[in-house]
Amino acid sequence: MIDPQARWAQYGEKPDFAGLLSFSGVPYTEDPAELAGVDVAIVGAPTDDLVSDRPGTRFAPRAIRAASCPPGPHLEAKIDAFAELRVVDFGDAPVLPADPARTHEAIRATVRQVLDAGAMPVILGGDHSIAEPDIRACAEAHGGPVGLIHFDTHTDTGTEVFGVEVSHGTPMYRLVRDGFVDPTRYVQIGLRGYWPGEQEFGWQEEHGITALFMHDVRDRGIRAVVDEAVGVVGSGPVFLSVDIDVLDPAFAPGTGTPEPGGMTSADLLWACRAIGERVELIGMDLVEVIPTMVASADITALVADRIVRETLTGLAVRRR
Amino acid sequence: MIDPQARWAQYGEKPDFAGLLSFSGVPYTEDPAELAGVDVAIVGAPTDDLVSDRPGTRFAPRAIRAASCPPGPHLEAKIDAFAELRVVDFGDAPVLPADPARTHEAIRATVRQVLDAGAMPVILGGDHSIAEPDIRACAEAHGGPVGLIHFDTHTDTGTEVFGVEVSHGTPMYRLVRDGFVDPTRYVQIGLRGYWPGEQEFGWQEEHGITALFMHDVRDRGIRAVVDEAVGVVGSGPVFLSVDIDVLDPAFAPGTGTPEPGGMTSADLLWACRAIGERVELIGMDLVEVIPTMVASADITALVADRIVRETLTGLAVRRR
Amino acid sequence: MIDPQARWAQYGEKPDFAGLLSFSGVPYTEDPAELAGVDVAIVGAPTDDLVSDRPGTRFAPRAIRAASCPPGPHLEAKIDAFAELRVVDFGDAPVLPADPARTHEAIRATVRQVLDAGAMPVILGGDHSIAEPDIRACAEAHGGPVGLIHFDTHTDTGTEVFGVEVSHGTPMYRLVRDGFVDPTRYVQIGLRGYWPGEQEFGWQEEHGITALFMHDVRDRGIRAVVDEAVGVVGSGPVFLSVDIDVLDPAFAPGTGTPEPGGMTSADLLWACRAIGERVELIGMDLVEVIPTMVASADITALVADRIVRETLTGLAVRRR
Amino acid sequence: MIDPQARWAQYGEKPDFAGLLSFSGVPYTEDPAELAGVDVAIVGAPTDDLVSDRPGTRFAPRAIRAASCPPGPHLEAKIDAFAELRVVDFGDAPVLPADPARTHEAIRATVRQVLDAGAMPVILGGDHSIAEPDIRACAEAHGGPVGLIHFDTHTDTGTEVFGVEVSHGTPMYRLVRDGFVDPTRYVQIGLRGYWPGEQEFGWQEEHGITALFMHDVRDRGIRAVVDEAVGVVGSGPVFLSVDIDVLDPAFAPGTGTPEPGGMTSADLLWACRAIGERVELIGMDLVEVIPTMVASADITALVADRIVRETLTGLAVRRR
Amino acid sequence: MIDPQARWAQYGEKPDFAGLLSFSGVPYTEDPAELAGVDVAIVGAPTDDLVSDRPGTRFAPRAIRAASCPPGPHLEAKIDAFAELRVVDFGDAPVLPADPARTHEAIRATVRQVLDAGAMPVILGGDHSIAEPDIRACAEAHGGPVGLIHFDTHTDTGTEVFGVEVSHGTPMYRLVRDGFVDPTRYVQIGLRGYWPGEQEFGWQEEHGITALFMHDVRDRGIRAVVDEAVGVVGSGPVFLSVDIDVLDPAFAPGTGTPEPGGMTSADLLWACRAIGERVELIGMDLVEVIPTMVASADITALVADRIVRETLTGLAVRRR
Amino acid sequence: MIDPQARWAQYGEKPDFAGLLSFSGVPYTEDPAELAGVDVAIVGAPTDDLVSDRPGTRFAPRAIRAASCPPGPHLEAKIDAFAELRVVDFGDAPVLPADPARTHEAIRATVRQVLDAGAMPVILGGDHSIAEPDIRACAEAHGGPVGLIHFDTHTDTGTEVFGVEVSHGTPMYRLVRDGFVDPTRYVQIGLRGYWPGEQEFGWQEEHGITALFMHDVRDRGIRAVVDEAVGVVGSGPVFLSVDIDVLDPAFAPGTGTPEPGGMTSADLLWACRAIGERVELIGMDLVEVIPTMVASADITALVADRIVRETLTGLAVRRR
């Protein structure tokens, strides 16, 4: 394990733009044995072979790490997640370009290493197809279907997209079908736009999935929406899956299937923190980030980083 | 068939930025029956599912059409290609994202439609994996292996790339192996960088493939290199495959595996014209172009689209 | 008429990035005879010769088409506009660069073709000067002045801008003056910033034009504002003119005279849908979009195009 | 003094993109003697030598001038600031790259020239370290500590940043410590994120500094927050310091340490107007703007410049 | 006249990114009386109303000034042009957007002011249509037709472009036709691509215009080409007109009608210096530069501007 | 030490965009004890506090690592540098923003750690001021002044820049003055533009420094220039310092003080390889890279990477 701060020890602090690239500058390891005692492990899943529109999420894990900021107290929550939790960066899963089957298996296996060490995985995608190995690993480790809070423009419950069954538009259908997600403990937040259609929503209703639309967020407010989501998942293990396109493109322009009329960063950040605080999170992924630039800040990668941070902060409050 | 110029007939000429998007503003059709009497048909192959590094060539056919300029006399050659040849834009092959096998079959079938109509296909990729369906269609239509002039940084004669056999790094190996390209009439121009290795070059030598490196171009000059290439392919049908990364990144920054130290535009343009003039071309593809301006969505155009869509939705509600 | 979906029929669905470029992938025609039975026709008006600040809206119609998404049910309204309405893309009006008078006449005539076929025109600008031919065609077709709902930062009711009478800052003055818009049925929404001044607002008041400012939107809410607008235009034909700069630059950075402090996408999208639902729309335009990614040429696509062109030129020499 | 409008006098008005580059096109002078009778003087402070993350604010003063729009009546306030106030652009302070001490002294002296002429300085930074010379000049000119309204993500009250005492993270600590700001009349608005920590907030509380967080803005509304701020500073001279990163990155992506979850433009613009109206402003600065489009050189403009330069060089040779 | 260096006098030198924006930091004036004794005056002509493809040259004069570097000795020629010649920046001609006729007259009159003061004008365009007022002013001032060395991809000798007679594609035809350029002393360098055609080249031959193509530059070398050009213009007054698109797009991507296969910067820079040295230059223009980074507004700088503006507005309310 | 390839061992090869970010994917360590037996250690020096124009080189080391490609045989030299040499990535020196003195000391100490372990340091800047600690460490380790081959537009032998003595424009003056570089074994290649002046060149001549200009490269060819350089440094230890701005901006747009008319990538790459092969290199730095983008390739970082690669390849040839 390498601690990027160590080299700066005699000088002061490591600036964000220098040193080993790890999430928030936390220690970095690729050795599962070093995960003992770790609370949270960051895992990159740089892949986008299964997208139907714009590719580029393969560049996201590095961009999110570069946009991450050092530990420090949350000014509203008055707690420093990194002081409460032992967080390490476990590097990227060994993905293989143009080979989504082996890539998914590599992701599943890497997430499972984290879980087997007793740590919570936070997976930085990658396109949303990775939710399948991410959540499957969690369900397998926890011995049964998990609850799911899912922020997204789209339900991702198609049976196929362009005739492809394993796709970034189908993971949630497959996870419910295969018994890895409990549909009665599954809530979607932020839906809008023009997909999917009656068939998919019909299937969702049959299985008792809760769909909260963007107009629900606007009309009822984020607090009421989060209250309902927390009620739906109840007690028991919950996975949090955040598709960055739940945000309005003004707040997250770098994504593959953006849809105007979405959430604000303030709402999503608050919601993630509240969820981390109020439910039993056993894993998280953050997907569909396409970095747009490096000259100035990449604001999409930045808000992605803060989504994780808010969740960890909430988790830290709960643990205390 | 729609002739984009027709609407401007009473006014004058169509500007490049307006009207139906077709290559050089030539007539557009998707009906094979309308290819009768056509000399050259442009075919888009917007796909990039088989790349090993940066994706984005799926956006190239539209970008190349948008960058094309109207017919006119070549100032050096003193001839207008569009006055001598009947060129139409045959649209894009019906590719399917995340399904490279069906995509390749769709490309092969579309190129074959062009060939069966007696026209020469010019395929705008797409990543270099499409050379396999492109050239296979030509060889099948012409009843035997074809000659090949191949501009590229890389030989693309790997047996696999990251364990993947159908890849943008393997088409030429497969085409020779499967008898669609005659290795003794196959010449590569512009090789440089750090791939492939001894094994692949050994295989090339065994089969009599001619490899001309970038240092050959610099030391001997483009004219001598083209002379040699024309001699290698001799008489008989020849396919021309141009990977845009043969150019130096200064001249073509938008590509997936750029390599400094490449050709100038002036040399490559001259060489292509000379080859068109001196060998019996039966098809061409141009691959690995990644437009530099479509990495993420244009969020202004996106919200503009949705404004129209919302209005139409309201209208639909009203009409119902 | 070409249906871009047709080629994909045997394979599934057309991806957004492939195939003939039309709005939402609807059928494309430039033949007025084919408009029979059509409900809505999209018309591009790629022009910007009359702007006073940043040019670039000539690139908007293609960019909006590229950003459009395929038909599907609206997740809030529970209706698919494209299933209820027959929509076609009628291509671009035959504009002429640097000749705004002939361009305006071409736009007016093209919009009139749509109206004469009984369809509703949706014009994708172009700068806001095109509102003059757009609305004039509608008023002429409908036999008298129309109502107008106008989203904008600016009133566009100047008598001249930089001494120029036909400008993107004057169309509404001219349309009222010439009897094409009924000022008592004309409402502006979203005004802010520093233009125009007392003279123009005095003229507006004299004629009974209703001006709703951005502070009205913020203080009263978008629903109350739309209620008032719907009341002002009442029954009878109404044109909807949306200048994208009514949005805050965070939501629409690509425009010529952006002004901070504007509307959110969510508000504008809801308002457009409500207006479509509640008033008798007879036409719409959407203007002042400047795509952010086409400022200069994409030099990679450009050289790619010329490679093909050189080859064809060589081929032409050979054929001759 | 040069009035950029003068040359256009016989033609009409100067377009924003042409003529001498000054703020809002107001008269430009570098001569302190010409400040007599002036109400407000704009001063550029193009420096960024003391930042801890992304540099680039040295390009901000020119970019803000280029983005400024001409005088005109405020559509909500119904008043034209430039008709009521005599505003001039006093150019840039004579900063020196890589020499922050001399740069700060140059800024202080230039601001003092404005104050000595009886005008109010509006300083366009530059990084936030310039608040130290800006406010020190004001306090010295006004003979005692001033009140301070400070919009920012961060408190900027560190004692050091990366071991550096004069930094963009420390000016407010130093100004209070040195008696230039009255801590009981100092209010911070918009704080969020993960810096600083307990030590700095403890120090703030000891000194009676008022900290209003972003969650205060969201929960209580901007009007209540501004009411409190106005109450805190009370009567007496007040400096307004705006760090652009108080805005959400959606509204201001170009800044060095962006933090999601910030203010909207509408709120900040309203607040600044209200503060200008309700307190006794004696100076203002606006800092941490990094123009998003000047990261690297514009190579086309660069070679254009050198073409002229070469010609002049040849001419010089000829003349000699 | 303001000397941007003056304010730095006591500190040292002005950095390029600070201070009054003038070409190379030379003194700036808009007063013709101050041109007495001046050798060279820089004149901006920020206009693009007459282009047929991409607009944006209206932003070029400011961008070229920003890219210019301070005086200093030419490392090859061993001479400092600014030490030998008295150069001033005469600001921009009072152009008017969307009014090309008045804009051309303003340019002509401003160039004439320079000539009447005995100085040589160097005009920074703008599109190439400005060559007409530029050269006409020179010919009128010098009492007869002038010689012309013209670097360009295109001949710009059309009689019309898209039916428009005063265009960026026609100035050279009009200047010869109207007797302002002597066709026997007119040489074009760098022609390539696909425009114009036989008619225009026929007209050129009839009038004795010398056309040197890009293949001449490549085959014969830049020195021989410049030798021939110098021979053609001989003795007597010569105007130098440089269209930046004569460069390959790799060297100058920001231009409206780029064409691959062009000149290198090294060749063009050397040629311009040689021409300045060897012929009797009486004026120069440099046109068709489109800065690549100003496509849309810089929204951060924009909101920064409005923050100041709102504050001033509040202050104005208070003052009233 | 972490070997980024290890995790992929059972799957195949690591793609460039995934896994621990190290130069070319070589093993990464920050522990000096692990440098035993290492031939070459990469050291990042992410700093730009001492620049006089555009900042941004602090982002270069990460960008160069991201642009680097995996080991493989050089297609011209027929050798794989990484098979011949043991290369590790030693991470970044512990720089401190806004504190150039401590940053320089940290760089010097880190480079010295490499040298003391018997490895050759390759430092990725950073601005050119770092040449001072880089070369000083080498001279100290080698016990006397070293030879220097220096590619650059500028001589960097000023005594001060804007009054600052430790600057990116002065390192070479200081290194010669302080006895760390032997001026008779110091050669500059690629000089052009307008800086410095007579005084600096006079000082250079007095000390016997060899200055080869860009016109020497063009007139004599890169081979002759390299021959001369190799002759000047002769036998004995040599440091190679490459300022990326020696390249023409077409080939390296991302740099702080670009100057048109520079070298091509092909020439510089060949020269670096030849130098690595022919002289006794004891260290190298590569400076002034400002990354411009991440969406497509960053071509400047890419060519920077290849410059190092070529040098290592040459070194490998020599070692064999």
Side-chain angles (χ1 to χ4, degrees), chain A residues 167-187:
Chain A
S167 156
H168 72 151
T170 60
M172 302 317 179
Y173 165 77
R174 298 168 61 84
L175 286 162
V176 169
R177 185 198 66 183
D178 296 345
F180 298 118
V181 166
D182 175 353
T184 66
R185 296 181 58 234
Y186 172 16
V187 58

PDB file of all heavy atoms in Angstrom, chain A residues 167-187:
ATOM      1  N   SER A 167     -26.659  -4.708 -21.522  1.00  0.00           N
ATOM      2  CA  SER A 167     -26.537  -3.347 -22.047  1.00  0.00           C
ATOM      3  C   SER A 167     -26.597  -2.371 -20.890  1.00  0.00           C
ATOM      4  O   SER A 167     -26.953  -2.744 -19.766  1.00  0.00           O
ATOM      5  CB  SER A 167     -27.710  -3.084 -22.996  1.00  0.00           C
ATOM      6  OG  SER A 167     -27.997  -1.714 -23.123  1.00  0.00           O
ATOM      7  N   HIS A 168     -26.268  -1.102 -21.145  1.00  0.00           N
ATOM      8  CA  HIS A 168     -26.408  -0.126 -20.056  1.00  0.00           C
ATOM      9  C   HIS A 168     -27.875   0.279 -19.851  1.00  0.00           C
ATOM     10  O   HIS A 168     -28.165   1.058 -18.959  1.00  0.00           O
ATOM     11  CB  HIS A 168     -25.499   1.095 -20.271  1.00  0.00           C
ATOM     12  CG  HIS A 168     -25.917   2.020 -21.360  1.00  0.00           C
ATOM     13  ND1 HIS A 168     -25.633   3.374 -21.342  1.00  0.00           N
ATOM     14  CD2 HIS A 168     -26.603   1.791 -22.517  1.00  0.00           C
ATOM     15  CE1 HIS A 168     -26.107   3.930 -22.434  1.00  0.00           C
ATOM     16  NE2 HIS A 168     -26.690   3.002 -23.154  1.00  0.00           N
ATOM     17  N   GLY A 169     -28.775  -0.275 -20.646  1.00  0.00           N
ATOM     18  CA  GLY A 169     -30.201   0.007 -20.457  1.00  0.00           C
ATOM     19  C   GLY A 169     -30.978  -1.152 -19.844  1.00  0.00           C
ATOM     20  O   GLY A 169     -32.202  -1.067 -19.723  1.00  0.00           O
ATOM     21  N   THR A 170     -30.281  -2.216 -19.463  1.00  0.00           N
ATOM     22  CA  THR A 170     -30.993  -3.408 -18.999  1.00  0.00           C
ATOM     23  C   THR A 170     -30.581  -3.955 -17.629  1.00  0.00           C
ATOM     24  O   THR A 170     -31.196  -4.922 -17.157  1.00  0.00           O
ATOM     25  CB  THR A 170     -30.795  -4.564 -20.020  1.00  0.00           C
ATOM     26  OG1 THR A 170     -29.382  -4.847 -20.113  1.00  0.00           O
ATOM     27  CG2 THR A 170     -31.318  -4.202 -21.391  1.00  0.00           C
ATOM     28  N   PRO A 171     -29.595  -3.392 -16.929  1.00  0.00           N
ATOM     29  CA  PRO A 171     -29.092  -4.109 -15.744  1.00  0.00           C
ATOM     30  C   PRO A 171     -30.164  -4.310 -14.674  1.00  0.00           C
ATOM     31  O   PRO A 171     -30.163  -5.354 -14.006  1.00  0.00           O
ATOM     32  CB  PRO A 171     -27.959  -3.214 -15.231  1.00  0.00           C
ATOM     33  CG  PRO A 171     -28.275  -1.856 -15.754  1.00  0.00           C
ATOM     34  CD  PRO A 171     -28.865  -2.127 -17.118  1.00  0.00           C
ATOM     35  N   MET A 172     -31.051  -3.349 -14.507  1.00  0.00           N
ATOM     36  CA  MET A 172     -31.979  -3.466 -13.393  1.00  0.00           C
ATOM     37  C   MET A 172     -33.044  -4.542 -13.669  1.00  0.00           C
ATOM     38  O   MET A 172     -33.462  -5.247 -12.746  1.00  0.00           O
ATOM     39  CB  MET A 172     -32.627  -2.108 -13.109  1.00  0.00           C
ATOM     40  CG  MET A 172     -31.638  -0.997 -12.788  1.00  0.00           C
ATOM     41  SD  MET A 172     -30.288  -1.498 -11.657  1.00  0.00           S
ATOM     42  CE  MET A 172     -29.354   0.055 -11.564  1.00  0.00           C
ATOM     43  N   TYR A 173     -33.415  -4.686 -14.929  1.00  0.00           N
ATOM     44  CA  TYR A 173     -34.312  -5.781 -15.294  1.00  0.00           C
ATOM     45  C   TYR A 173     -33.670  -7.124 -14.934  1.00  0.00           C
ATOM     46  O   TYR A 173     -34.278  -8.004 -14.309  1.00  0.00           O
ATOM     47  CB  TYR A 173     -34.630  -5.733 -16.787  1.00  0.00           C
ATOM     48  CG  TYR A 173     -35.236  -7.002 -17.305  1.00  0.00           C
ATOM     49  CD1 TYR A 173     -36.579  -7.311 -17.066  1.00  0.00           C
ATOM     50  CD2 TYR A 173     -34.468  -7.923 -18.019  1.00  0.00           C
ATOM     51  CE1 TYR A 173     -37.132  -8.494 -17.521  1.00  0.00           C
ATOM     52  CE2 TYR A 173     -35.015  -9.105 -18.486  1.00  0.00           C
ATOM     53  CZ  TYR A 173     -36.343  -9.397 -18.238  1.00  0.00           C
ATOM     54  OH  TYR A 173     -36.886 -10.565 -18.680  1.00  0.00           O
ATOM     55  N   ARG A 174     -32.438  -7.266 -15.318  1.00  0.00           N
ATOM     56  CA  ARG A 174     -31.736  -8.534 -15.127  1.00  0.00           C
ATOM     57  C   ARG A 174     -31.490  -8.833 -13.653  1.00  0.00           C
ATOM     58  O   ARG A 174     -31.606  -9.979 -13.218  1.00  0.00           O
ATOM     59  CB  ARG A 174     -30.416  -8.493 -15.904  1.00  0.00           C
ATOM     60  CG  ARG A 174     -30.651  -8.319 -17.412  1.00  0.00           C
ATOM     61  CD  ARG A 174     -29.380  -7.994 -18.165  1.00  0.00           C
ATOM     62  NE  ARG A 174     -28.400  -9.043 -18.042  1.00  0.00           N
ATOM     63  CZ  ARG A 174     -28.365 -10.138 -18.793  1.00  0.00           C
ATOM     64  NH1 ARG A 174     -29.276 -10.302 -19.739  1.00  0.00           N
ATOM     65  NH2 ARG A 174     -27.449 -11.047 -18.614  1.00  0.00           N
ATOM     66  N   LEU A 175     -31.162  -7.811 -12.885  1.00  0.00           N
ATOM     67  CA  LEU A 175     -30.886  -8.017 -11.460  1.00  0.00           C
ATOM     68  C   LEU A 175     -32.142  -8.422 -10.705  1.00  0.00           C
ATOM     69  O   LEU A 175     -32.098  -9.254  -9.795  1.00  0.00           O
ATOM     70  CB  LEU A 175     -30.279  -6.737 -10.859  1.00  0.00           C
ATOM     71  CG  LEU A 175     -28.819  -6.481 -11.259  1.00  0.00           C
ATOM     72  CD1 LEU A 175     -28.443  -5.023 -11.017  1.00  0.00           C
ATOM     73  CD2 LEU A 175     -27.883  -7.408 -10.478  1.00  0.00           C
ATOM     74  N   VAL A 176     -33.272  -7.831 -11.081  1.00  0.00           N
ATOM     75  CA  VAL A 176     -34.540  -8.231 -10.443  1.00  0.00           C
ATOM     76  C   VAL A 176     -34.905  -9.645 -10.900  1.00  0.00           C
ATOM     77  O   VAL A 176     -35.244 -10.518 -10.091  1.00  0.00           O
ATOM     78  CB  VAL A 176     -35.658  -7.226 -10.793  1.00  0.00           C
ATOM     79  CG1 VAL A 176     -37.028  -7.777 -10.369  1.00  0.00           C
ATOM     80  CG2 VAL A 176     -35.396  -5.884 -10.124  1.00  0.00           C
ATOM     81  N   ARG A 177     -34.817  -9.861 -12.216  1.00  0.00           N
ATOM     82  CA  ARG A 177     -35.168 -11.167 -12.773  1.00  0.00           C
ATOM     83  C   ARG A 177     -34.366 -12.295 -12.143  1.00  0.00           C
ATOM     84  O   ARG A 177     -34.886 -13.381 -11.866  1.00  0.00           O
ATOM     85  CB  ARG A 177     -34.907 -11.143 -14.287  1.00  0.00           C
ATOM     86  CG  ARG A 177     -35.339 -12.402 -15.000  1.00  0.00           C
ATOM     87  CD  ARG A 177     -34.686 -12.512 -16.376  1.00  0.00           C
ATOM     88  NE  ARG A 177     -33.237 -12.676 -16.265  1.00  0.00           N
ATOM     89  CZ  ARG A 177     -32.406 -12.735 -17.308  1.00  0.00           C
ATOM     90  NH1 ARG A 177     -32.869 -12.599 -18.544  1.00  0.00           N
ATOM     91  NH2 ARG A 177     -31.116 -12.888 -17.124  1.00  0.00           N
ATOM     92  N   ASP A 178     -33.075 -12.010 -11.915  1.00  0.00           N
ATOM     93  CA  ASP A 178     -32.193 -13.061 -11.424  1.00  0.00           C
ATOM     94  C   ASP A 178     -32.137 -13.125  -9.902  1.00  0.00           C
ATOM     95  O   ASP A 178     -31.321 -13.859  -9.338  1.00  0.00           O
ATOM     96  CB  ASP A 178     -30.782 -12.864 -11.985  1.00  0.00           C
ATOM     97  CG  ASP A 178     -30.764 -13.009 -13.508  1.00  0.00           C
ATOM     98  OD1 ASP A 178     -31.745 -13.536 -14.073  1.00  0.00           O
ATOM     99  OD2 ASP A 178     -29.777 -12.576 -14.136  1.00  0.00           O
ATOM    100  N   GLY A 179     -32.979 -12.324  -9.233  1.00  0.00           N
ATOM    101  CA  GLY A 179     -33.079 -12.443  -7.783  1.00  0.00           C
ATOM    102  C   GLY A 179     -31.993 -11.743  -7.000  1.00  0.00           C
ATOM    103  O   GLY A 179     -31.796 -12.029  -5.812  1.00  0.00           O
ATOM    104  N   PHE A 180     -31.294 -10.804  -7.621  1.00  0.00           N
ATOM    105  CA  PHE A 180     -30.244 -10.089  -6.885  1.00  0.00           C
ATOM    106  C   PHE A 180     -30.767  -8.796  -6.262  1.00  0.00           C
ATOM    107  O   PHE A 180     -30.166  -8.248  -5.344  1.00  0.00           O
ATOM    108  CB  PHE A 180     -29.047  -9.811  -7.789  1.00  0.00           C
ATOM    109  CG  PHE A 180     -28.400 -11.060  -8.308  1.00  0.00           C
ATOM    110  CD1 PHE A 180     -28.348 -11.354  -9.672  1.00  0.00           C
ATOM    111  CD2 PHE A 180     -27.847 -11.980  -7.419  1.00  0.00           C
ATOM    112  CE1 PHE A 180     -27.761 -12.512 -10.139  1.00  0.00           C
ATOM    113  CE2 PHE A 180     -27.255 -13.153  -7.882  1.00  0.00           C
ATOM    114  CZ  PHE A 180     -27.212 -13.428  -9.246  1.00  0.00           C
ATOM    115  N   VAL A 181     -31.866  -8.273  -6.788  1.00  0.00           N
ATOM    116  CA  VAL A 181     -32.501  -7.078  -6.214  1.00  0.00           C
ATOM    117  C   VAL A 181     -33.938  -7.447  -5.853  1.00  0.00           C
ATOM    118  O   VAL A 181     -34.639  -8.083  -6.639  1.00  0.00           O
ATOM    119  CB  VAL A 181     -32.488  -5.904  -7.218  1.00  0.00           C
ATOM    120  CG1 VAL A 181     -33.439  -4.792  -6.766  1.00  0.00           C
ATOM    121  CG2 VAL A 181     -31.073  -5.352  -7.380  1.00  0.00           C
ATOM    122  N   ASP A 182     -34.339  -7.017  -4.673  1.00  0.00           N
ATOM    123  CA  ASP A 182     -35.710  -7.243  -4.217  1.00  0.00           C
ATOM    124  C   ASP A 182     -36.580  -6.104  -4.754  1.00  0.00           C
ATOM    125  O   ASP A 182     -36.427  -4.954  -4.325  1.00  0.00           O
ATOM    126  CB  ASP A 182     -35.718  -7.251  -2.677  1.00  0.00           C
ATOM    127  CG  ASP A 182     -37.117  -7.363  -2.101  1.00  0.00           C
ATOM    128  OD1 ASP A 182     -38.112  -7.303  -2.861  1.00  0.00           O
ATOM    129  OD2 ASP A 182     -37.221  -7.495  -0.864  1.00  0.00           O
ATOM    130  N   PRO A 183     -37.490  -6.369  -5.695  1.00  0.00           N
ATOM    131  CA  PRO A 183     -38.227  -5.270  -6.336  1.00  0.00           C
ATOM    132  C   PRO A 183     -39.087  -4.475  -5.352  1.00  0.00           C
ATOM    133  O   PRO A 183     -39.332  -3.294  -5.584  1.00  0.00           O
ATOM    134  CB  PRO A 183     -39.082  -5.978  -7.392  1.00  0.00           C
ATOM    135  CG  PRO A 183     -39.117  -7.416  -6.984  1.00  0.00           C
ATOM    136  CD  PRO A 183     -37.849  -7.685  -6.244  1.00  0.00           C
ATOM    137  N   THR A 184     -39.508  -5.086  -4.289  1.00  0.00           N
ATOM    138  CA  THR A 184     -40.340  -4.335  -3.320  1.00  0.00           C
ATOM    139  C   THR A 184     -39.469  -3.399  -2.471  1.00  0.00           C
ATOM    140  O   THR A 184     -40.005  -2.559  -1.764  1.00  0.00           O
ATOM    141  CB  THR A 184     -41.109  -5.300  -2.396  1.00  0.00           C
ATOM    142  OG1 THR A 184     -40.165  -6.015  -1.576  1.00  0.00           O
ATOM    143  CG2 THR A 184     -41.927  -6.286  -3.216  1.00  0.00           C
ATOM    144  N   ARG A 185     -38.179  -3.571  -2.550  1.00  0.00           N
ATOM    145  CA  ARG A 185     -37.254  -2.667  -1.839  1.00  0.00           C
ATOM    146  C   ARG A 185     -36.393  -1.894  -2.850  1.00  0.00           C
ATOM    147  O   ARG A 185     -35.262  -1.536  -2.566  1.00  0.00           O
ATOM    148  CB  ARG A 185     -36.370  -3.458  -0.856  1.00  0.00           C
ATOM    149  CG  ARG A 185     -37.154  -4.122   0.271  1.00  0.00           C
ATOM    150  CD  ARG A 185     -36.244  -4.875   1.251  1.00  0.00           C
ATOM    151  NE  ARG A 185     -35.245  -4.010   1.838  1.00  0.00           N
ATOM    152  CZ  ARG A 185     -33.921  -4.250   1.826  1.00  0.00           C
ATOM    153  NH1 ARG A 185     -33.448  -5.350   1.257  1.00  0.00           N
ATOM    154  NH2 ARG A 185     -33.087  -3.412   2.364  1.00  0.00           N
ATOM    155  N   TYR A 186     -36.975  -1.630  -4.007  1.00  0.00           N
ATOM    156  CA  TYR A 186     -36.244  -0.954  -5.092  1.00  0.00           C
ATOM    157  C   TYR A 186     -36.979   0.342  -5.460  1.00  0.00           C
ATOM    158  O   TYR A 186     -38.155   0.306  -5.815  1.00  0.00           O
ATOM    159  CB  TYR A 186     -36.157  -1.903  -6.293  1.00  0.00           C
ATOM    160  CG  TYR A 186     -35.598  -1.343  -7.587  1.00  0.00           C
ATOM    161  CD1 TYR A 186     -34.882  -0.145  -7.649  1.00  0.00           C
ATOM    162  CD2 TYR A 186     -35.766  -2.037  -8.777  1.00  0.00           C
ATOM    163  CE1 TYR A 186     -34.386   0.337  -8.841  1.00  0.00           C
ATOM    164  CE2 TYR A 186     -35.263  -1.567  -9.986  1.00  0.00           C
ATOM    165  CZ  TYR A 186     -34.583  -0.368 -10.003  1.00  0.00           C
ATOM    166  OH  TYR A 186     -34.096   0.124 -11.190  1.00  0.00           O
ATOM    167  N   VAL A 187     -36.266   1.465  -5.375  1.00  0.00           N
ATOM    168  CA  VAL A 187     -36.896   2.750  -5.701  1.00  0.00           C
ATOM    169  C   VAL A 187     -36.023   3.530  -6.687  1.00  0.00           C
ATOM    170  O   VAL A 187     -34.808   3.608  -6.535  1.00  0.00           O
ATOM    171  CB  VAL A 187     -37.166   3.575  -4.416  1.00  0.00           C
ATOM    172  CG1 VAL A 187     -35.882   3.819  -3.634  1.00  0.00           C
ATOM    173  CG2 VAL A 187     -37.841   4.896  -4.735  1.00  0.00           C
TER     174      VAL A 187
END
